Amino acid sequence: MAADRCWERRMMMGSVFSWGALLVALLAASGCSTKYDAAAACGSLSDLAPVRDASIDQLHASHDGGRCAFRMTGRDPAALQRQQHMLDAISVIACGQPAQIQPIQGAQGFELQMPSRCPLSARTSLFVRDDPRWRLERPSMPSYPAVARGENLQGKVSMRLLLDDEGRVKAAIVAESSGHPLLDEAAVKAALGWQWKREWWAFSATRMSMVPATTTFAGD
């Protein structure tokens, strides 16, 4: 236990209340259900910033025969898996089916296609970004990897977590890396087991929400 006192793990959750964010959340929750729009391409997923892992090299979206398709490449296998998991989780919730995934020949990466006729409308956001209606309940702290502790690796990992309408974490990506893949993975692994609870004033929730989370690994 003495070794545990040689370093400190702090988790800081973005909890600044924003009336603007609340208004967006309430409008999204009360809006009409999304319908298939063949002209919408990838809909609101055309803006990849909220769903892109910081440690991949490239992520592109395109419209292929009425289906939304993504191509991702990178040198970090763990980051590619996080990116794949995020997009696939969105597909399951938004489209009701998992995405079709295949590796890219001759490169480190994947091509991912959403199901056909998936209702990705450009007029309706799939999720509320930085959704203020959720709060974290009793999070488990990340395990400090032994190798990272031995080398006194330190850093802050900023993440974006995809929640379903019951507050379960369906996917997590790194929004800002600690600079150490071991610490990034440790933070994401812990975050995937967290449970979020709807705030008392939040009377409804969208099918999925995106919330920020930050974990800091710090030693002496």
Side-chain angles (χ1 to χ4, degrees):
M1 311 314 284
D4 288 342
R5 290 193 292 270
C6 294
W7 54 270
E8 176 187 359
R9 290 168 293 181
R10 300 192 306 274
M11 183 191 66
M12 300 175 295
M13 305 308 305
S15 59
V16 177
F17 185 82
S18 166
W19 285 106
L22 173 59
L23 179 59
V24 171
L26 294 177
L27 289 173
S30 60
C32 299
S33 59
T34 306
K35 295 181 180 180
Y36 175 66
D37 182 356
C42 292
S44 58
L45 281 180
S46 296
D47 177 13
L48 295 172
V51 299
R52 177 173 179 159
D53 192 281
S55 297
I56 67 167
D57 294 338
Q58 292 183 325
L59 176 63
H60 300 293
S62 62
H63 193 232
D64 183 10
R67 305 174 70 176
C68 185
F70 299 91
R71 179 184 174 92
M72 64 201 83
T73 59
R75 291 161 290 180
D76 183 349
L80 287 170
Q81 285 298 116
R82 292 193 299 265
Q83 188 66 77
Q84 175 185 320
H85 188 197
M86 172 62 75
L87 294 172
D88 191 45
I90 291 174
S91 176
V92 169
I93 298 174
C95 312
Q97 300 176 45
Q100 294 183 347
I101 304 166
Q102 61 182 8
I104 298 174
Q105 296 296 325
Q108 279 191 294
F110 297 92
E111 290 181 340
L112 182 148
Q113 273 195 334
M114 296 289 192
S116 60
R117 299 189 64 79
C118 180
L120 299 176
S121 174
R123 296 185 295 271
T124 305
S125 179
L126 281 174
F127 49 77
V128 178
R129 188 173 176 178
D130 297 344
D131 195 335
R133 292 170 298 173
W134 297 99
R135 62 179 172 83
L136 184 57
E137 277 215 324
R138 298 185 299 275
S140 57
M141 298 304 293
S143 297
Y144 210 125
V147 172
R149 182 171 15 180
E151 296 180 5
N152 196 30
L153 300 182
Q154 304 175 37
K156 181 174 72 173
V157 186
S158 297
M159 299 172 285
R160 282 192 289 270
L161 314 180
L162 182 73
L163 309 183
D164 66 10
D165 58 1
E166 295 185 2
R168 295 172 296 200
V169 181
K170 307 307 291 184
I173 54 172
V174 172
E176 186 174 347
S177 174
S178 65
H180 306 292
L182 277 175
L183 299 184
D184 293 350
E185 269 299 283
V188 167
K189 183 177 180 180
L192 288 172
W194 292 345
Q195 179 67 39
W196 293 67
K197 186 174 181 179
R198 199 176 304 166
E199 292 284 9
W200 63 268
W201 45 263
F203 56 86
S204 63
T206 51
R207 286 187 297 170
M208 52 184 153
S209 302
M210 196 75 74
V211 296
T214 302
T215 297
T216 299
F217 296 85
D220 292 339

